[in-house]
């Protein structure tokens, strides 16, 4: 067989299947940059997720009411119809009451802080279990931009990394691609918080001589112009000081469990607030 | 003559199914079942097109799926594409040696594809990520693996039905593989 006789179709297929993806991977691109050709699909996915979320809320409401009605029927068999209806209403109100209490707490937090906050509902998670992102039902039409901070009453959640008209995606603080400028609250030593492994975050690039102890609270430094200064990220659980290294690595337990959130706040004015603070106004 | 409109309709249908199922996995599943690991619906659809399409069409569809599904994850598009393409090559290599047309075979290949994806994502992360994956979510992957196998047959039936409706021919055993 002649060495130079080859099937052009097969060569083309091999290029498309393996060479192109390999070239694409090797091309220099910042992870936060979004490809223009994926935009329509991101937009579509946001809408589909939002649709599912609305459907789910409706179904949950109906199911909760149905279950409550069954319970009331069992408990109040002998009671008058009027009484049963009142009890049914009371049962269905429990979920609303709990939601009301949660939202009141969030509202109180919003009013007490000087930040311009936008409340958003979590509508989706990441496709892959090793990637920690969530989708919210607010987008560019609500004033959301890329790299805006997201927080909750407990502390830092993550930051916006992809936006669409009515939905956005948040890179959670425990994702491996997330980096947050942080300081030790007690000693003011500075480092970077990164997602490390399963549900773990680490404070890295902290100087070897910096003062940090187990139990210390790590807060945002505000220097990245993304997060407001002083928001809790996590508490120190262990310190790894290698024998010859210049830095020490600190393991943290995040104050917020980002995977179990239902509502978050997007900080709309961090950059303005930071600029005002610096100018002394 | 083969109706090209039906072929286009078939492809659009597959992309819609992959997207609707992925949105279900990322949104509705967590709202109903909370943190319980969901099945990887996209792996099922991806395996289906790799096994039941000619290699050229399979490569095209994997590109299309990667493009649409990358909207649901923070995994960079290029890395996702490489993972899916490597899975395609490996699955076709297996198909070249062992193939029989049945739902059981499909289930077996879906489980292989799920393990391959887990393995490829982990290995590629070691080479391509600045902050590589250190301890993967093994428990979550295992449960998702089992759930994926459980859901593979019903989805296989739906996709087969869609192929029948859009007049797609059954791929002969000797074609569609990777001839090396």
């Amino acid at each position: 067989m002649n060495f130079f006789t080859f099937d052009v179709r097969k060569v083309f297929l091999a290029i498309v299947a393996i060479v192109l993806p390999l070239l694409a991977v090797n091309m220099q691109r910042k992870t936060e940059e979004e490809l223009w050709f994926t935009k329509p699909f991101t937009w579509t996915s946001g809408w589909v997720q939002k649709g599912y979320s609305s459907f789910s809320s409706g179904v949950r409401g109906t199911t909760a009411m149905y279950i409550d009605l069954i319970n009331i029927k069992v408990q109040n068999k002998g009671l008058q119809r009027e009484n049963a209806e009142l009890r049914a209403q009371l049962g269905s109100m429990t979920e609303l009451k709990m939601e009301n209490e949660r939202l009141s707490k969030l509202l109180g937090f919003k009013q007490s802080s000087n930040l311009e906050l936008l409340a958003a509902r979590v509508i989706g998670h990441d496709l892959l279990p090793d990637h920690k992102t969530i989708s919210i039902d607010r987008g560019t039409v609500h004033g959301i931009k890329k790299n805006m901070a997201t927080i909750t009453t407990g502390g830092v959640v993550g930051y916006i990394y992809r936006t669409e008209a009515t939905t956005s995606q948040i890179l959670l603080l425990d994702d491996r691609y997330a980096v947050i400028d942080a300081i030790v609250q007690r000693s003011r030593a500075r480092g970077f918080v990164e997602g490390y492994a399963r549900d773990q975050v680490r404070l890295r690039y902290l100087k070897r001589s910096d003062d940090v102890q187990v139990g210390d609270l790590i807060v945002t430094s505000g220097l990245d112009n993304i997060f407001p200064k002083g928001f809790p990220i996590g508490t120190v659980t262990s310190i790894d000081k290698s024998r010859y290294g210049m830095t020490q690595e600190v393991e943290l337990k995040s104050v917020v469990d980002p995977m179990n959130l239902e509502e978050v706040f997007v900080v709309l004015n961090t950059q303005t607030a930071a600029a005002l603070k610096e100018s002394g106004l | 003559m083969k109706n090209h409109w039906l072929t286009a309709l078939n492809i659009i249908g597959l992309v819609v199914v992959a997207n609707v199922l992925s949105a279900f996995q990322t949104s509705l599943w967590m709202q109903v079942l909370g943190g319980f690991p969901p099945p990887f619906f996209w792996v099922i659809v991806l395996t289906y097109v790799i096994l039941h399409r000619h290699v050229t069409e399979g490569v095209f569809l994997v590109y299309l799926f990667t493009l649409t599904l990358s909207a649901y994850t923070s995994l960079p598009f290029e890395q996702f594409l490489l993972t899916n393409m490597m899975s395609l090559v490996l699955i076709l290599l297996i198909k070249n040696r062992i193939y029989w047309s049945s739902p059981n075979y499909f289930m077996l290949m879906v489980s292989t594809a799920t393990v391959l994806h887990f393995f490829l994502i982990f290995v590629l992360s070691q080479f391509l990520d600045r902050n590589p994956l250190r301890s993967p979510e093994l428990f979550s992957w295992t449960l998702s693996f089992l759930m994926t196998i459980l859901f593979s047959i019903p989805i296989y039936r739906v996709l087969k039905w869609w192929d029948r409706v859009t007049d797609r021919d059954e791929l002969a055993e000797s074609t569609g593989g990777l001839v090396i």
Side-chain angles (χ1 to χ4, degrees), chain A residues 64-106:
Chain A
M65 198 175 283
Y66 178 71
I67 290 165
D68 288 339
L69 278 170
I70 291 171
N71 289 339
I72 288 158
K73 201 178 171 186
V74 172
Q75 287 166 10
N76 304 299
K77 221 171 182 179
L79 292 176
Q80 289 177 0
R81 193 179 169 192
E82 193 183 347
N83 196 15
E85 276 175 14
L86 281 171
R87 277 176 187 271
Q89 280 175 13
L90 192 69
S92 66
M93 288 295 162
T94 312
E95 181 66 21
L96 279 174
K97 192 186 162 206
M98 280 167 71
E99 191 180 348
N100 192 17
E101 278 169 5
R102 205 173 60 240
L103 291 173
S104 298
K105 199 178 157 194
L106 289 171

Side-chain angles (χ1 to χ4, degrees), chain A residues 123-140:
Chain A
I123 57 166
H125 283 182
D126 201 285
L127 194 70
L128 298 164
D130 296 312
H131 289 260
K132 313 287 184 194
T133 63
I134 53 172
S135 307
I136 53 169
D137 65 342
R138 294 283 184 268
T140 48

Side-chain angles (χ1 to χ4, degrees), chain A residues 16-17 25 29 37 41 45 48-49 52 56 123-127 130-132 162 169 176-177 194-195 198, chain B residues 20 23-28 31 54 63 67-68 71-74 78 85 128-131 136-137 141:
Chain A
V16 173
V25 158
R29 185 170 73 87
F37 50 83
F41 304 111
S45 70
V48 181
Q49 281 187 327
Y52 272 130
S56 156
I123 57 166
H125 283 182
D126 201 285
L127 194 70
D130 296 312
H131 289 260
K132 313 287 184 194
R162 201 182 263 167
Q169 279 168 301
R176 288 178 296 115
Y177 296 146
E194 282 185 354
R198 202 173 44 228
Chain B
V20 167
F24 176 82
Q25 177 195 324
T26 56
S27 183
L28 196 62
Q31 282 168 32
H54 194 271
Y63 262 87
L67 202 60
T68 58
Y72 295 97
T73 177
S74 65
E78 298 87 347
M85 278 299 164
L128 301 171
D129 282 338
R130 186 187 59 81
N131 187 8
E137 300 265 2
W141 270 97

Side-chain angles (χ1 to χ4, degrees), chain A residues 9-10 13 15-18 20-22 24-27 29 31 35 37-38 41-46 48-50 52-57 60 122-133 161-162 169 171 175-179 194-199 204-205, chain B residues 15 19-28 30-32 34-35 40 42 54-56 59 63-64 67-82 85-86 88-89 118 121 125 128-141 144 179-180:
Chain A
R9 226 177 108 255
K10 275 182 197 165
L13 265 177
I15 290 171
V16 173
I18 291 298
L20 266 183
L22 274 171
V25 158
N26 279 303
M27 277 164 70
R29 185 170 73 87
T31 43
L35 299 165
F37 50 83
T38 60
F41 304 111
T42 320
W43 182 84
T44 316
S45 70
V48 181
Q49 281 187 327
K50 216 171 174 183
Y52 272 130
S53 178
S54 309
F55 172 72
S56 156
S57 304
R60 261 191 292 177
V122 177
I123 57 166
H125 283 182
D126 201 285
L127 194 70
L128 298 164
D130 296 312
H131 289 260
K132 313 287 184 194
T133 63
Y161 83 101
R162 201 182 263 167
Q169 279 168 301
L171 199 62
D175 188 275
R176 288 178 296 115
Y177 296 146
V179 182
E194 282 185 354
Y196 180 70
R198 202 173 44 228
D199 301 329
R204 304 185 76 188
Y205 311 113
Chain B
V15 174
N19 270 275
V20 167
L21 289 174
S22 297
F24 176 82
Q25 177 195 324
T26 56
S27 183
L28 196 62
M30 70 104 185
Q31 282 168 32
V32 176
F40 300 134
W42 55 282
H54 194 271
V55 65
T56 321
V59 169
Y63 262 87
L64 202 59
L67 202 60
T68 58
L69 299 179
S70 63
Y72 295 97
T73 177
S74 65
L75 182 72
F77 171 76
E78 298 87 347
Q79 215 165 313
F80 198 23
L81 181 65
L82 192 60
M85 278 299 164
M86 286 172 89
L88 172 133
V89 172
F118 164 74
I121 286 170
S125 169
L128 301 171
D129 282 338
R130 186 187 59 81
N131 187 8
L133 188 57
R134 286 177 186 88
S135 68
E137 300 265 2
L138 274 178
F139 180 70
S140 180
W141 270 97
S144 286
V179 185
I180 293 175

Side-chain angles (χ1 to χ4, degrees), chain B residues 66-132:
Chain B
T66 311
L67 202 60
T68 58
L69 299 179
S70 63
Y72 295 97
T73 177
S74 65
L75 182 72
F77 171 76
E78 298 87 347
Q79 215 165 313
F80 198 23
L81 181 65
L82 192 60
T83 309
N84 289 339
M85 278 299 164
M86 286 172 89
S87 303
L88 172 133
V89 172
L90 293 170
I91 289 169
L92 286 181
L93 282 174
I94 298 170
K95 187 192 170 186
N96 233 19
R97 280 146 185 83
I98 316 155
Y99 182 77
W100 73 94
S101 181
S102 86
N104 291 341
Y105 178 77
F106 180 72
M107 199 162 79
L108 192 76
M109 291 310 280
V110 165
S111 56
T112 311
T114 313
V115 175
L116 270 176
H117 267 91
F118 164 74
F119 180 73
L120 288 170
I121 286 170
F122 181 76
V123 171
L124 287 175
S125 169
Q126 307 307 310
F127 293 105
L128 301 171
D129 282 338
R130 186 187 59 81
N131 187 8

